[in-house]
Amino acid sequence: MLPSFFVAHGAPLLAIEDNEYTQFLNTLGRTLPKPKAIVLFSAHWESSVQRVSDVDEYKTIYDFGGFPEALYRIEYPARGNQTITKEIEDLFTKQGIPFDVETERGLDHGAWVVLRLLYPHVDIPVISMSVNPKLTPKEQYQIGRSLSGLREKDVLIIGSGGTVHNLRALNWGAEDGEIDPWALSFDEWLESGLRNWDLESLFTYDSVAPNANLAVPPYGNEHFVPLFYAMGAADNEQTAKLLHRSYRYGNLSHSVWQFG
């Protein structure tokens, strides 16, 4: 059975950079068993009702501005998989989870940056999934849990976002390896909660975690919540392992968590 993962997608520049984090993701993709398909929840696709992609071939969305021209030349024309999409629809229907099917939307950079680093050959079908930041963490977890059976069919489930993601707090002049203490304290609290599968604390992170208002700012939690979708997909095993953690700009976290 494949594990599920939470993968930080960082800044779009990761797509053209060669650094500690991109090298780690390249290696991770080579060492994992090749999945039959990938179900990916992206922080950059928000919706009030769960959206499930049913796309033959994805266009590449450049949902950013002001970056080097090389980024806008990258394409990741992944194909979908109607069989897996139908399985997801059936699972949601059976468990009473409202959803809509999306037949046109391409892959945003929260999806294709991660996928391209893990699987550069674009040879694995992808089912893109939205996130709803307005749901409670428990509800987000339950959506992930509803898909846990797919892991037994060699489907890889990924939540793409960032555990510490506050663009207003970035320290652009930070040296490599320099970490803002508030960011580290939040991630260390999160690490303890995940390793102990402490759902009670994790589901109330915004009121109990140190520096939660900085790490997951009140104006936007969309990058944090993919963690709960990925975690829920491993509810039947409830094990968590930190595979990588580094930072850019003082506090933008590059964390990879394995569940199950």
Side-chain angles (χ1 to χ4, degrees):
M1 180 188 299
L2 286 174
S4 59
F5 290 93
F6 174 80
V7 181
H9 61 249
L13 284 171
L14 280 179
I16 56 174
E17 290 179 328
D18 181 12
N19 56 39
E20 174 191 4
Y21 186 47
T22 61
Q23 291 170 14
F24 170 80
L25 291 178
N26 289 158
T27 301
L28 179 63
R30 291 195 299 267
T31 54
L32 286 172
K34 186 175 180 179
K36 175 182 177 182
I38 300 169
V39 175
L40 188 143
F41 292 88
S42 173
H44 286 276
W45 187 9
E46 298 179 50
S47 66
S48 57
V49 175
Q50 180 64 54
R51 308 298 294 272
V52 184
S53 285
D54 186 2
V55 174
D56 182 36
E57 183 176 307
Y58 291 94
K59 297 178 181 177
T60 305
I61 302 174
Y62 308 100
D63 50 336
F64 46 77
F67 288 91
E69 182 60 31
L71 272 178
Y72 303 93
R73 293 196 295 266
I74 293 174
E75 293 187 352
Y76 195 85
R79 302 190 69 83
N81 183 307
Q82 288 188 331
T83 301
I84 303 297
T85 294
K86 184 61 167 60
E87 284 192 57
I88 292 171
E89 294 176 34
D90 291 344
L91 289 168
F92 283 162
T93 300
K94 181 179 179 181
Q95 299 186 55
I97 296 172
F99 68 93
D100 289 329
V101 176
E102 169 59 53
T103 60
E104 295 185 3
R105 190 180 188 276
L107 294 177
D108 57 68
H109 83 271
W112 64 258
V113 169
V114 166
L115 292 171
R116 185 169 176 268
L117 288 167
L118 289 170
Y119 300 108
H121 300 300
V122 203
D123 57 351
I124 300 171
V126 174
I127 295 86
S128 184
M129 307 283 281
S130 67
V131 298
N132 183 355
K134 292 183 172 59
L135 294 178
T136 66
K138 183 177 181 179
E139 289 170 326
Q140 294 153 353
Y141 183 97
Q142 298 286 10
I143 290 173
R145 186 171 72 170
S146 73
L147 303 180
S148 60
L150 294 176
R151 294 173 45 228
E152 300 177 5
K153 301 179 180 182
D154 297 325
V155 174
L156 180 63
I157 299 175
I158 297 175
S160 170
T163 59
V164 181
H165 188 278
N166 186 343
L167 299 184
R168 299 179 188 176
L170 295 183
N171 180 0
W172 296 102
E175 301 289 337
D176 286 347
E178 184 178 344
I179 306 169
D180 291 338
W182 62 264
L184 185 60
S185 70
F186 177 83
D187 265 343
E188 288 179 339
W189 175 91
L190 181 63
E191 179 178 353
S192 175
L194 292 174
R195 289 188 187 279
N196 293 310
W197 214 267
D198 182 359
L199 297 181
E200 182 178 355
S201 294
L202 291 168
F203 288 170
T204 56
Y205 74 90
D206 54 344
S207 59
V208 301
N211 305 301
N213 62 324
L214 278 172
V216 187
Y219 62 82
N221 64 344
E222 73 287 337
H223 277 74
F224 188 66
V225 301
L227 179 80
F228 294 121
Y229 293 87
M231 190 182 185
D235 178 77
N236 57 333
E237 292 180 272
Q238 299 194 357
T239 59
K241 182 178 181 182
L242 179 62
L243 300 185
H244 179 91
R245 184 165 66 209
S246 57
Y247 297 84
R248 292 289 293 277
Y249 315 121
N251 55 66
L252 182 65
S253 65
H254 290 162
S255 299
V256 177
W257 278 94
Q258 175 180 315
F259 303 117

